Amino acid sequence: MSKIDELNQKLEKLNLVGYWGIPRSEAFEPKSSFEPCLWRWDDVYSVIREAGEVLGPEDSMRRFIAFRSPGKVRTTHTIAAGVQLVNPGEIARAHRHTMGAIRFVLKGGGAQTTVEGEPFSMEPGDFITTPSRTWHDHYNGSNEPIIWLDGIEAPLMGLLEVGSAEVFGAEQQSITRPVDFSRHELGAVRPSWIKQGAQQPPPYRYRWEDTEKTFRALGENSGDPYDGLLLRYVNPMTGGPTLPTFSCEIQMLRPGEATKSHRHTSTVIYHAFRGSGFTVVGPPAGGRAGDTRFDWREGDSFTVPLWRTHHHGNSSRDEAILFSMNDRPAMEALGFYREEAA
Ligand SMILES: [Fe+2]
Ligand SMILES: [Fe+2]
């Protein structure tokens, strides 16, 4: 045994490690261990419907199916997404957790999510937040199943080991505020006693009706060179990111529109809400593999890992709308956010 090996053994016994045992650091770029992945709506819809038939509320607190990237258990390293189905007459029991979460309604309607005593209506295209540690339960009072996209920061929470969860004492929490009260309380004309100061934003429903009107109002605006007509779901108190850890956005690609290519250290999960188009994702920095091209259609979901070049296009005759969630707020808070044209 060499003298270096003897020293290494000694260090190991002392719970120490010599840095000469670690491969010499060379120049390197940010690199995700996740590959881009696409989930087809036909497949996802088929299995969530099946889950709606074979699982009752007693089998699981939430009838949720997550997107899992190949070789991984999560959608991405920081944020995860998936679909949830609530059958007519069902209640998804009240609980709360450290993880912040969002819902984007895909199919069905006439249901409601109650957050901290306030019921929020759920219609297709509506976007509802349940920030960290807010009590939430869902009830489908309509006569058809409702399906929505769920987004959560579970992987980041797992890494930070700060997760916690509690189950409410009853199936549903009491209603203490009128339906959609926050729409008025947090409007452009608001009560004087509403103060910003909390780390978490208030729960909020961003109605599809309003989002659609904003798209229409923007008309032929040239928009963002990398994302087309991109709208952000901002914290209604501060105008900042949707949640402290992740942010949600929705963008319209008009017929024939193609965006410029860029890359950033944030990771994005997309969902094609309307229409069809394509997204081209470049190989990892220094990688030899070619581009990954996703020709997405309505209902498909896909990921763009960090620091991979990407651009979007719509070669159809109809407008295409992509909903997305990204971990940019977490990267910015840590000072790790970088973005560049590519
Ligand atoms: Fe939850
Ligand atoms: Fe991007």
Side-chain angles (χ1 to χ4, degrees):
M1 187 182 288
S2 74
K3 289 195 170 169
I4 293 178
D5 288 341
E6 275 175 37
L7 176 59
N8 287 341
Q9 279 194 356
K10 201 178 287 173
L11 289 173
E12 199 176 336
K13 282 181 194 145
L14 295 167
N15 293 325
L16 296 168
V17 61
Y19 260 43
W20 50 86
I22 296 169
R24 199 171 297 172
S25 86
E26 292 160 1
F28 62 92
E29 288 282 306
K31 188 168 184 263
S32 178
S33 63
F34 286 70
E35 278 300 305
C37 186
L38 178 137
W39 296 268
R40 288 278 176 216
W41 176 248
D42 289 350
D43 299 330
V44 172
Y45 185 56
S46 155
V47 292
I48 192 69
R49 287 302 300 260
E50 189 177 335
E53 285 160 20
V54 304
L55 291 164
E58 66 285 358
D59 295 310
S60 173
M61 190 174 267
R62 294 289 188 267
R63 194 184 286 106
F64 172 66
I65 296 177
F67 301 128
R68 180 175 68 81
S69 282
K72 304 284 189 181
V73 291
R74 300 295 199 180
T75 320
T76 77
H77 67 308
T78 47
I79 46 179
V83 287
Q84 181 168 169
L85 180 147
V86 181
N87 275 321
E90 275 180 2
I91 294 164
R93 195 191 169 99
H95 71 180
R96 69 173 178 174
H97 33 69
T98 313
M99 280 184 305
I102 60 93
R103 337 268 157 209
F104 183 71
V105 183
L106 304 179
K107 225 170 163 44
Q112 74 180 34
T113 283
T114 303
V115 195
E116 292 289 300
E118 179 172 344
F120 293 98
S121 310
M122 301 182 90
E123 300 298 332
D126 283 354
F127 172 76
I128 294 150
T129 56
T130 56
S132 177
R133 294 185 52 75
T134 52
W135 290 107
H136 55 282
D137 53 79
H138 315 290
Y139 168 62
N140 183 0
S142 79
N143 52 15
E144 57 175 340
I146 184 165
I147 300 175
W148 63 77
L149 189 76
D150 269 316
I152 42 173
E153 61 208 13
L156 179 64
M157 191 118 299
L159 172 75
L160 300 175
E161 300 181 342
V162 289
S164 68
E166 291 160 82
V167 179
F168 196 69
E171 268 203 309
Q172 288 175 292
Q173 59 191 297
S174 309
I175 306 285
T176 55
R177 288 157 68 92
V179 175
D180 292 334
F181 185 66
S182 58
R183 180 174 165 75
H184 306 292
E185 192 183 38
L186 300 171
V189 179
R190 63 179 70 169
S192 64
W193 55 89
I194 298 290
K195 299 257 187 311
Q196 166 60 27
Q199 282 181 314
Q200 293 290 337
Y204 202 71
R205 172 191 177 212
Y206 305 73
R207 306 190 311 173
W208 170 244
E209 202 183 318
D210 298 332
T211 308
E212 199 172 25
K213 279 183 191 157
T214 306
F215 276 133
R216 297 284 158 242
L218 287 168
E220 291 309 303
N221 195 299
S222 55
D224 183 300
Y226 304 104
D227 284 300
L229 287 185
L230 180 77
L231 307 177
R232 294 192 162 135
Y233 293 99
V234 300
N235 174 336
M237 297 298 276
T238 63
T242 321
L243 298 175
T245 41
F246 70 95
S247 218
C248 296
E249 301 177 340
I250 192 158
Q251 67 200 90
M252 180 188 282
L253 299 169
R254 290 157 289 194
E257 186 162 4
T259 70
K260 288 186 174 166
S261 178
H262 74 164
R263 65 178 178 179
H264 33 70
T265 52
S266 55
T267 295
V268 190
I269 303 172
Y270 288 94
H271 176 83
F273 181 55
R274 296 276 188 266
S276 61
F278 63 88
T279 296
V280 177
V281 184
R288 292 204 187 99
D291 291 342
T292 303
R293 181 185 164 111
F294 293 137
D295 287 289
W296 40 262
R297 301 185 294 270
E298 193 167 308
D300 293 348
S301 300
F302 60 95
T303 51
V304 174
L306 65 92
W307 214 233
R308 303 281 286 258
T309 63
H310 55 279
H311 63 272
H312 314 286
N314 174 4
S315 42
S316 79
R317 288 190 198 154
D318 302 310
E319 289 162 346
I321 295 178
L322 285 173
F323 170 82
S324 62
M325 41 190 291
N326 65 72
D327 60 5
R328 182 175 169 165
M331 295 303 137
E332 284 183 327
L334 296 169
F336 296 147
Y337 186 73
R338 283 167 67 192
E339 179 184 339
E340 63 182 34

